[in-house]
Short mmCIF file of all heavy atoms in Angstrom, two decimals:
data_model
loop_
_atom_site.label_atom_id
_atom_site.label_comp_id
_atom_site.label_asym_id
_atom_site.label_seq_id
_atom_site.Cartn_x
_atom_site.Cartn_y
_atom_site.Cartn_z
N THR A 92 30.58 -35.84 -155.28
CA THR A 92 32.00 -36.23 -155.49
C THR A 92 32.42 -36.33 -156.93
O THR A 92 32.15 -37.43 -157.49
CB THR A 92 32.36 -37.56 -154.65
OG1 THR A 92 31.80 -37.48 -153.39
CG2 THR A 92 33.75 -37.71 -154.71
N THR A 96 38.32 -41.14 -162.30
CA THR A 96 38.18 -42.68 -162.45
C THR A 96 37.53 -43.22 -161.25
O THR A 96 37.53 -42.70 -160.21
CB THR A 96 39.65 -43.30 -162.50
OG1 THR A 96 40.24 -43.26 -161.17
CG2 THR A 96 40.62 -42.67 -163.49
N PRO A 97 36.84 -44.39 -161.42
CA PRO A 97 36.09 -44.93 -160.38
C PRO A 97 37.12 -45.32 -159.15
O PRO A 97 36.59 -45.31 -158.02
CB PRO A 97 35.64 -46.35 -161.01
CG PRO A 97 35.42 -45.97 -162.41
CD PRO A 97 36.71 -45.09 -162.71
N VAL A 98 38.35 -45.63 -159.40
CA VAL A 98 39.31 -45.82 -158.32
C VAL A 98 39.43 -44.55 -157.42
O VAL A 98 39.38 -44.66 -156.12
CB VAL A 98 40.68 -46.25 -158.83
CG1 VAL A 98 41.68 -46.41 -157.64
CG2 VAL A 98 40.68 -47.57 -159.68
N GLN A 99 39.47 -43.48 -158.12
CA GLN A 99 39.54 -42.18 -157.42
C GLN A 99 38.29 -41.94 -156.68
O GLN A 99 38.36 -41.41 -155.54
CB GLN A 99 39.80 -40.99 -158.45
CG GLN A 99 39.96 -39.68 -157.77
CD GLN A 99 40.03 -38.53 -158.90
OE1 GLN A 99 39.03 -38.21 -159.47
NE2 GLN A 99 41.25 -38.10 -159.21
N LEU A 100 37.14 -42.22 -157.25
CA LEU A 100 35.87 -42.03 -156.52
C LEU A 100 35.84 -42.85 -155.29
O LEU A 100 35.45 -42.40 -154.20
CB LEU A 100 34.71 -42.46 -157.53
CG LEU A 100 33.29 -42.43 -156.84
CD1 LEU A 100 32.96 -41.03 -156.53
CD2 LEU A 100 32.32 -43.04 -157.91
N LEU A 101 36.13 -44.16 -155.42
CA LEU A 101 36.11 -45.12 -154.18
C LEU A 101 37.06 -44.48 -153.06
O LEU A 101 36.68 -44.46 -151.90
CB LEU A 101 36.67 -46.36 -154.61
CG LEU A 101 36.52 -47.42 -153.46
CD1 LEU A 101 35.10 -47.77 -153.11
CD2 LEU A 101 37.28 -48.75 -153.93
N ASP A 102 38.25 -44.08 -153.50
CA ASP A 102 39.13 -43.50 -152.43
C ASP A 102 38.64 -42.36 -151.78
O ASP A 102 38.80 -42.18 -150.48
CB ASP A 102 40.55 -43.15 -153.11
CG ASP A 102 41.39 -44.36 -153.63
OD1 ASP A 102 41.07 -45.43 -153.02
OD2 ASP A 102 42.19 -44.14 -154.30
N ALA A 103 37.84 -41.55 -152.59
CA ALA A 103 37.39 -40.30 -151.98
C ALA A 103 36.17 -40.51 -151.08
O ALA A 103 36.04 -39.74 -149.92
CB ALA A 103 36.82 -39.32 -153.08
N ILE A 104 35.35 -41.49 -151.34
CA ILE A 104 34.11 -41.67 -150.58
C ILE A 104 34.21 -42.71 -149.43
O ILE A 104 33.41 -42.75 -148.50
CB ILE A 104 32.90 -41.98 -151.39
CG1 ILE A 104 33.02 -43.34 -152.10
CG2 ILE A 104 32.61 -40.93 -152.42
CD1 ILE A 104 31.66 -43.71 -152.87
N LEU A 105 35.17 -43.68 -149.55
CA LEU A 105 35.26 -44.69 -148.65
C LEU A 105 35.31 -44.33 -147.12
O LEU A 105 34.51 -44.99 -146.39
CB LEU A 105 36.44 -45.57 -148.98
CG LEU A 105 36.64 -46.88 -148.15
CD1 LEU A 105 35.37 -47.78 -148.40
CD2 LEU A 105 37.93 -47.62 -148.60
N PRO A 106 36.02 -43.33 -146.65
CA PRO A 106 36.04 -43.03 -145.31
C PRO A 106 34.63 -42.65 -144.73
O PRO A 106 34.18 -43.11 -143.69
CB PRO A 106 37.02 -41.89 -145.20
CG PRO A 106 38.06 -42.01 -146.25
CD PRO A 106 37.09 -42.55 -147.39
N GLU A 107 33.93 -41.94 -145.60
CA GLU A 107 32.43 -41.57 -145.07
C GLU A 107 31.52 -42.75 -145.12
O GLU A 107 30.66 -42.88 -144.43
CB GLU A 107 31.94 -40.39 -145.94
CG GLU A 107 30.67 -39.80 -145.55
CD GLU A 107 30.68 -39.30 -144.14
OE1 GLU A 107 31.63 -38.90 -143.61
OE2 GLU A 107 29.60 -39.24 -143.49
N TYR A 127 32.29 -53.00 -148.46
CA TYR A 127 32.59 -53.16 -149.93
C TYR A 127 31.44 -53.74 -150.62
O TYR A 127 31.23 -53.47 -151.86
CB TYR A 127 33.85 -53.96 -150.00
CG TYR A 127 35.10 -53.27 -149.75
CD1 TYR A 127 35.98 -53.32 -148.67
CD2 TYR A 127 35.57 -52.21 -150.62
CE1 TYR A 127 37.10 -52.67 -148.55
CE2 TYR A 127 36.64 -51.46 -150.46
CZ TYR A 127 37.49 -51.79 -149.54
OH TYR A 127 38.61 -51.00 -149.18
N TYR A 158 47.51 -50.35 -163.53
CA TYR A 158 47.10 -51.67 -163.29
C TYR A 158 47.13 -52.73 -164.49
O TYR A 158 46.86 -53.87 -164.35
CB TYR A 158 45.64 -51.71 -162.79
CG TYR A 158 45.50 -50.66 -161.67
CD1 TYR A 158 44.74 -49.47 -161.92
CD2 TYR A 158 45.96 -50.82 -160.42
CE1 TYR A 158 44.78 -48.50 -160.85
CE2 TYR A 158 45.86 -49.92 -159.37
CZ TYR A 158 45.12 -48.74 -159.71
OH TYR A 158 45.07 -47.78 -158.68
N GLU A 299 45.51 -52.51 -149.71
CA GLU A 299 46.81 -52.97 -150.09
C GLU A 299 47.59 -53.25 -148.79
O GLU A 299 48.38 -54.22 -148.74
CB GLU A 299 47.45 -51.76 -150.91
CG GLU A 299 46.97 -51.72 -152.21
CD GLU A 299 47.21 -50.30 -152.86
OE1 GLU A 299 46.70 -49.31 -152.28
OE2 GLU A 299 47.95 -50.21 -153.83
N SER A 323 37.36 -51.76 -158.35
CA SER A 323 38.37 -50.73 -158.02
C SER A 323 39.30 -51.25 -156.96
O SER A 323 40.62 -51.01 -157.17
CB SER A 323 37.78 -49.42 -157.36
OG SER A 323 36.96 -48.84 -158.33
N LEU A 324 38.98 -51.85 -155.98
CA LEU A 324 39.96 -52.53 -155.02
C LEU A 324 40.64 -53.63 -155.64
O LEU A 324 41.88 -53.76 -155.32
CB LEU A 324 39.11 -52.89 -153.73
CG LEU A 324 40.06 -53.65 -152.65
CD1 LEU A 324 41.09 -52.74 -152.26
CD2 LEU A 324 39.12 -54.13 -151.52
N LYS A 327 43.81 -52.89 -157.38
CA LYS A 327 44.91 -52.55 -156.44
C LYS A 327 45.58 -53.80 -156.01
O LYS A 327 46.89 -53.95 -155.93
CB LYS A 327 44.40 -51.66 -155.30
CG LYS A 327 44.03 -50.22 -155.72
CD LYS A 327 43.59 -49.41 -154.54
CE LYS A 327 43.12 -48.00 -154.84
NZ LYS A 327 42.82 -47.35 -153.54
#
Side-chain angles (χ1 to χ4, degrees):
T92 312
T96 71
V98 176
Q99 184 188 75
L100 174 65
L101 182 70
D102 289 343
I104 67 174
L105 184 58
E107 184 62 22
Y127 280 113
Y158 309 106
E299 292 158 293
S323 296
L324 174 61
K327 293 182 179 183

